[in-house]
Amino acid sequence: MKCLILAAGYATRLYPLTENFPKPLLEVAGKPILDWLIDDLDRCGGVDEYIVVTNHKFADIFQQWADGHTLPITVLDDGTSTNDTRLGAVRDIRFAIDQCGIDDDLLVMAGDNLLDFSLVGFLYYAYQKKASCVMCYHEPDEVRLRRSGVAELDADKRLLSLAEKPAEPKSHWCVPAFYCFTAQDVKLVGKAIEEGCGTDAPGSFIAWLCQRTEMFAWPMPGRRYDIGNLESYNEVKKIFEK
């Protein structure tokens, strides 16, 4: 399995910290956010290459970070330099697939989230289902639901639909940017874009894919911390330092 890390954003809400430095490499409790994720996956086993897709502004910084690791990490520069010219997450996924010739199962995840549980359960769940899978969690707050990807699930946690930032959420199941794709479904990213799939939010591909193939959702056993602004960053640092 390959692991694709989405890290091409510009994190403008975290300025000045991220004006000239990528959010996934900000430190939390003594190590970069991204190290928390890949250290967990390295302990799990099963991932034979980590691919970080970033923008031209931060590519050199990510390469320096990658050079300090013994893990097989490939850094891709998607060629964009500003928030206004970014490719969008789905086009970055396609860019990475094309550049690296990915034809394997693929774990895709946002590089700016922290988890207080291991991803091994998610990988094992996808292995058991032999299908593409997403993570999900129950969100009671309607305001937060309207800012998220919201899924409809059946009793067996089969994914029936997904809507990005819906005005009227159909459930309380949120889907963060952690997805396991089968090798067969990885091949469909280009087709999705050609058929008009949204390209900004990564969940847009999930919304397209779940209407064409069987997908499942794994309820998270713990908490996910989305670092979106200075307040949330400072709060996460306090939590992880404990």
Side-chain angles (χ1 to χ4, degrees):
M1 172 180 280
K2 311 297 184 196
C3 176
L4 174 58
I5 298 160
L6 301 175
Y10 292 86
T12 55
R13 289 186 296 157
L14 269 166
Y15 278 14
L17 284 180
T18 54
E19 191 165 4
N20 294 296
F21 195 79
K23 178 166 62 165
L25 296 185
L26 291 175
E27 285 202 357
V28 171
K31 64 181 182 180
I33 294 167
L34 200 45
D35 280 24
W36 286 95
L37 293 168
I38 67 170
D39 286 353
D40 172 53
L41 288 168
D42 185 46
R43 287 191 295 269
C44 296
V47 174
D48 54 33
E49 183 181 9
Y50 299 88
I51 300 163
V52 180
V53 58
T54 186
N55 53 56
H56 186 66
K57 183 176 181 180
F58 295 139
D60 288 345
I61 299 174
F62 274 107
Q63 189 61 60
Q64 291 172 16
W65 164 81
D67 289 344
H69 287 74
T70 57
L71 295 172
I73 301 174
T74 300
V75 176
L76 297 178
D77 177 354
D78 73 3
T80 70
S81 298
T82 67
N83 195 50
D84 292 334
T85 61
R86 67 188 186 278
L87 294 183
V90 180
R91 290 190 185 279
D92 271 327
I93 293 171
R94 183 183 188 180
F95 174 74
I97 291 169
D98 292 345
Q99 289 293 306
C100 296
I102 299 171
D103 59 0
D104 199 353
D105 293 346
L106 183 64
L107 170 64
V108 175
M109 62 183 187
D112 57 357
N113 284 206
L114 282 168
L115 308 172
D116 67 3
F117 58 92
S118 174
L119 283 164
V120 65
F122 181 44
L123 300 185
Y124 185 63
Y125 179 83
Y127 173 77
Q128 286 183 309
K129 291 296 184 183
K130 294 181 171 54
S132 293
C133 298
V134 301
M135 294 203 317
C136 68
Y137 64 94
H138 188 269
E139 176 55 69
D141 189 327
E142 294 261 350
V143 174
R144 290 182 179 176
L145 285 171
R146 295 190 187 98
R147 298 198 300 256
S148 308
V150 178
E152 284 186 285
L153 308 176
D154 69 10
D156 296 321
K157 294 297 186 289
R158 188 176 285 102
L159 185 60
L160 303 177
S161 71
L162 186 136
E164 282 288 353
K165 300 180 180 179
E168 298 295 333
K170 293 183 177 180
S171 81
H172 285 272
W173 287 112
C174 273
V175 175
F178 288 85
Y179 320 120
C180 269
F181 296 118
T182 64
Q184 182 177 356
D185 290 344
V186 167
K187 298 175 183 177
L188 297 176
V189 176
K191 181 180 179 182
I193 295 172
E194 290 166 7
E195 291 188 0
C197 166
T199 56
D200 192 33
S204 297
F205 176 59
I206 306 299
W208 181 91
L209 185 63
C210 72
Q211 300 304 307
R212 291 159 177 82
T213 189
E214 190 172 56
M215 296 185 69
F216 292 89
W218 181 68
M220 291 163 35
R223 288 194 61 186
R224 157 188 165 262
Y225 300 91
D226 180 13
I227 300 169
N229 53 36
L230 288 170
E231 182 181 1
S232 60
Y233 176 50
N234 289 328
E235 183 62 27
V236 166
K237 286 196 294 182
K238 290 177 184 178
I239 292 169
F240 274 72
E241 283 167 1
K242 292 179 181 179

